[in-house]
Amino acid sequence: MTFDIALYLGQNGVTLAAIYALLAFALVLVFAVTRVIFIPQGEIMTFAALSLVAIRNGQPPLLAWLLVGLGAVAFVLDGITAVRAGQAHRLVRVAAVNLLPAGMVLVAVYTLPLATLSYPLQIVLTLLMSAAFGPLLYRVVYAPAARASVLTLLLLSVALHMVLSSLGLLLFGPEGSQLPAFTDGNFQLGGMPVGLQSLWIIGTSLVLLLALFVFFRYTLYGKALRATAVSRTGAQLMGISPAFAGRAAFLLAAAMGAWSGILVATTTVIDYDAGFVIGLKGFVAAIIGGLSSYPLAAIGALIVGLTESFASFWASAYKDVIVFLLIIPVLLWRSLASAHHEEEES
C-alpha cells in the first residue's frame, strides 16, 4: 500500500465515520432515555432515502400512508386512555398530536408539485416526513411496553425490524436507487483528490452534532432529555413526562437516521433492506461508547469507519465481518470491567 492509497482510504474512512457517528448518537440517545436498543434505525434510513427518490420522480411516497395508519392507531390508544381517565376533553389535543403531522404530510405529498421542487425543498419534506415517523413508532410499539425489561424491548426491536423490512419491500419494491450528489466534482489537496460530496457529508454531520450539543446543553427540552437519561424516576418526579421524553428522543433519532440515509444514498445504491447492515455498524460504534457516552461513540464511529475503509482494501469480501468483530473485544472488556465493579461493590 502506497502513502497516496492510505490517504485516500483514510479520507473514505472519515466520511463513513461521519455517517456512523450520527447513527451511533441516535442509538445512544434513544437507549439513554427509553432503554430501547433501536435496531430499526436502519429501516428509517432506507425509508427516508427511497422516499426522497420517489419525491424526485414526482411520485407521492407511500410512507405518508404508513404515517397516517400509525397516527390513527396512536390516536385510538391515547383516546382510550383519555376517556378512561375521564378526560374526554383532551381528545382534540390527542388528535392534534397524533393525526395532524401525518395528515399534513399526506396533504403535502399529494398537492405539491414534487418533481419540480428544488432539491433542498425535497430533502426538507423528506426529513419532516421521516421525523414524524419516530414519535409514532414509539407511541404505537414501545410506549405500551415502557416498563418492560431491556431484553423484552430488544426482542420488540428485532420484531419491529422484521416488520419494517417487509413493509419496505411492499412500499418501495426490490429495486435499488441512488440519489444525485449535492455537489459534483472534486479538488486536489496535497495531491489527493477530495470529493465535494465527502465534504458535504463530513461538514453537515459535524454541524448536526454541534447543534445537538447546543440543544442538550442550553435548551429546556434538551436538559429534560438529559435528566431523563440520568434518572427516569427522578425526572418524572420533577414533572418531566416519560412519554414526552420518549417521543422527543425518537423524533431526534428518526431525523438523524433520515439524514444519514440521504447521505448514504448520495454515495451508493440503496434498496429496501440496505439500512440494516449500515445501522448495525452504527450500533458497533455505540457499543464502543457503552451506549452511554457520546464522545466515546464518536471515537467508536471513527474506528468503525477507518476499519471498514482499510479492510475494503485488504479483504473487501470480509470488510463487514471485520467491522463486526470489533464488538467482541469491547464486550469482553466491558463484561470484565463490570464484574470487577460488582466485586468492589460487594
Side-chain angles (χ1 to χ4, degrees), residues 123-196:
I123 292 174
V124 169
L125 180 58
T126 303
L127 290 177
L128 291 175
M129 181 167 52
S130 303
F133 193 34
L136 291 175
L137 274 183
Y138 173 77
R139 178 61 191 92
V140 173
V141 179
Y142 293 107
R147 296 183 181 276
S149 66
V150 174
L151 179 59
T152 301
L153 293 172
L154 174 61
L155 294 175
L156 202 55
S157 286
V158 173
L160 180 60
H161 152 69
M162 297 174 70
V163 170
L164 290 181
S165 181
S166 301
L167 280 175
L169 178 61
L170 177 67
L171 296 177
F172 303 106
E175 300 296 330
S177 300
Q178 184 171 3
L179 292 167
F182 301 156
T183 307
D184 291 319
N186 55 62
F187 63 93
Q188 296 290 322
L189 180 64
M192 178 182 65
V194 178
L196 295 177

Side-chain angles (χ1 to χ4, degrees), residues 13 16-18 20-22 24 281 285-286 288 296-306:
L16 293 172
Y20 296 149
L22 289 177
K281 292 173 183 174
I288 293 175
L296 287 180
I299 294 173
L302 187 61
I303 293 173
V304 171
L306 290 174

Side-chain angles (χ1 to χ4, degrees), residues 166-321:
S166 301
L167 280 175
L169 178 61
L170 177 67
L171 296 177
F172 303 106
E175 300 296 330
S177 300
Q178 184 171 3
L179 292 167
F182 301 156
T183 307
D184 291 319
N186 55 62
F187 63 93
Q188 296 290 322
L189 180 64
M192 178 182 65
V194 178
L196 295 177
Q197 184 61 24
S198 296
L199 291 185
W200 270 107
I201 293 174
I202 297 171
T204 56
S205 296
L206 289 175
V207 169
L208 191 53
L209 296 179
L210 179 62
L212 282 175
F213 171 77
V214 173
F215 172 75
F216 285 120
R217 191 169 184 84
Y218 297 108
T219 68
L220 183 61
Y221 291 122
K223 291 177 180 176
L225 288 181
R226 285 173 57 199
T228 306
V230 173
S231 172
R232 278 176 288 276
T233 304
Q236 192 172 2
L237 290 174
M238 295 301 293
I240 301 171
S241 165
F244 160 77
R247 284 177 181 255
F250 271 75
L251 185 146
L252 291 174
M256 286 190 282
W259 182 241
S260 302
I262 292 171
L263 292 178
V264 171
T266 60
T267 61
T268 186
V269 174
I270 192 167
D271 58 19
Y272 75 97
D273 65 349
F276 179 61
V277 173
I278 300 172
L280 282 184
K281 292 173 183 174
F283 177 69
V284 172
I287 287 293
I288 293 175
L291 279 174
S292 60
S293 170
Y294 294 104
L296 287 180
I299 294 173
L302 187 61
I303 293 173
V304 171
L306 290 174
T307 301
E308 180 180 350
S309 182
F310 280 89
S312 65
F313 178 81
W314 295 108
S316 177
Y318 301 102
K319 64 178 184 178
D320 292 339
V321 176

Side-chain angles (χ1 to χ4, degrees), residues 49-95:
L50 295 179
S51 293
L52 182 54
V53 170
I55 288 174
R56 289 188 59 79
N57 292 331
Q59 301 169 351
L62 296 179
L63 177 61
W65 286 105
L66 181 58
L67 292 182
V68 171
L70 286 172
V73 175
F75 170 71
V76 171
L77 292 174
D78 283 344
I80 292 174
T81 302
V83 171
R84 284 180 174 174
Q87 298 177 339
H89 61 279
R90 292 182 60 242
L91 287 177
V92 175
R93 182 177 181 277
V94 169

